[in-house]
């Protein structure tokens, strides 16, 4: 049954890509919702048990984080299979571009791997006429450190060594610092090709938060969405970084785990100071995210993550992707669809899809608050 489940998810993701590419969408919607089934109470429901179409209709445009792209593909496919008169188009660009689009009023919601900054909240008030933009944590997961090194299948690094690699201070794979962490591994005398994101990225910012918190003497940059260190090579989106790592012998880069899994890219185990190095996995990321606390106020549910955890089996390089919406003042023509779709993604069925797709569900107590907040959007 588990194998069938994984095959179904892979097929679903491919189907979502095909559906998304076929859509030409605008920010306003039509009234065509004739494909949805209707329950005895008159409420439109879907073929998927956890989807309630409610008053969703027409077309909804969203954009942002590429880290959640594979999850979003699954969600969009399942949701649209049930609410057949509704079209959802999520453009996986970057967290920075998503927030810009949201604050320009061109999307119904944005995906971001980092919470809104105070100045971004201020800008959002121009669009959320009676309110402001808020962060709804929807997707958790590990930021995998992928590598391609011919003859080496397993590699362990710690935060200081990783910081020096991405800062260009460690230039060869057989450097003493790497060798000490990989006793018995034959490391080649080969140049390290470090890849980073070319555009503003919440994934970049979360990696920066981890390095700044765990290796402050080796990573002296402020955690920002823009890549801060000199040197290295840039690629667009998580998909672009993963593609370069896949192709280039000697490469290392960072991206959401599903990109590594789908392309069979080896990932680094992280030495946190615990008993054994920790692998990048949904289960291990969940152990770290479970300790997160809500840092936002009011309806804002921004989280405070502990990047310095040494808990056994907790993978520390994690991110949470937020869906950014207006608490009040959402556009009347898209609000029903935004609420219906996000109710599904935050629901039991939507969250269950995440683990098999290489993500980590949002902890139950936090997710309960997410659902309450979605219901209150206006």
């Amino acid at each position: 049954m588990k194998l069938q489940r994984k095959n179904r998810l892979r097929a679903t993701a491919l189907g979502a890509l095909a559906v998304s590419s076929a859509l030409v969408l605008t920010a306003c919607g039509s009234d065509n919702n004739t494909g949805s089934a209707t329950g005895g109470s008159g409420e439109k429901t879907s073929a998927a048990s956890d989807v309630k179409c409610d008053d969703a209709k027409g077309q909804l445009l969203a954009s942002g984080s590429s880290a959640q792209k594979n999850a979003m593909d699954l969600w969009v496919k399942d949701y649209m299979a049930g609410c057949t008169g509704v079209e959802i188009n999520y453009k996986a660009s970057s967290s920075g571009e998503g927030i810009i689009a949201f604050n320009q009023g061109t999307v119904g919601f944005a995906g971001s791997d980092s919470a809104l900054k105070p100045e971004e909240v201020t800008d959002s008030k121009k669009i959320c006429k009676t309110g402001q933009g808020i962060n709804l944590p929807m997707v958790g997961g590990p930021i995998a450190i992928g590598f391609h090194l011919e003859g080496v299948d397993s590699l362990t690094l710690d935060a200081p060594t990783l910081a020096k690699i991405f800062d260009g201070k460690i230039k060869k794979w057989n450097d003493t610092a790497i060798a000490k962490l990989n006793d018995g591994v034959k490391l080649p005398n080969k140049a390290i090709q470090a890849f980073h994101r070319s555009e503003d990225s919440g994934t970049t910012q979360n990696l920066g938060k981890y390095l700044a918190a765990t290796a402050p003497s080796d990573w002296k940059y402020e955690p920002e969405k823009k890549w801060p260190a000199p040197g290295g090579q840039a690629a667009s989106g998580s998909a672009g970084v993963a593609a370069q790592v896949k192709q280039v012998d000697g490469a290392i880069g960072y991206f959401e785990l599903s990109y590594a899994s789908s392309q069979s890219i080896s990932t680094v185990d992280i030495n946190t100071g615990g008993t054994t190095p920790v692998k990048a996995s949904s289960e291990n990321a969940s152990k770290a995210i479970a300790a997160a606390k809500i840092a936002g106020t009011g309806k804002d549910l921004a989280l405070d993550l502990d990047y310095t955890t040494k808990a056994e089996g907790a993978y520390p390089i994690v991110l949470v992707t937020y869906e950014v919406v207006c608490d009040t003042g959402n556009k009347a023509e898209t609000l029903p669809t935004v609420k219906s779709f996000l109710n599904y993604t935050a629901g039991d069925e939507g969250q269950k899809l995440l683990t098999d797709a290489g993500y980590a569900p949002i902890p139950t107590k936090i997710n309960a608050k997410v659902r309450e907040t979605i219901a209150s959007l206006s």
Side-chain angles (χ1 to χ4, degrees), residues 20 22-31 57-63 85-91 105-109 331 333-335 337-338:
S20 294
L23 299 176
V24 179
L25 304 178
T26 61
C28 60
S30 71
D31 293 327
K57 62 183 179 180
Q59 303 165 335
L60 174 65
L61 188 64
S63 69
V86 184
E87 296 174 338
I88 310 289
N89 186 341
Y90 181 81
K91 179 184 177 184
T106 59
V107 295
F109 71 90
K331 291 182 179 179
E333 64 268 27
T334 56
L335 176 61
T337 307
V338 168

Side-chain angles (χ1 to χ4, degrees), residues 36-59:
S36 296
T38 303
S41 64
E43 180 186 70
K44 293 189 284 285
T45 60
S46 79
S49 61
D50 212 26
V51 177
K52 293 183 179 180
C53 305
D54 295 326
D55 295 321
K57 62 183 179 180
Q59 303 165 335

Side-chain angles (χ1 to χ4, degrees), residues 225-241:
K225 292 175 185 173
K226 185 177 181 62
W227 181 255
Q233 301 178 60
S236 178
S238 292
V241 175

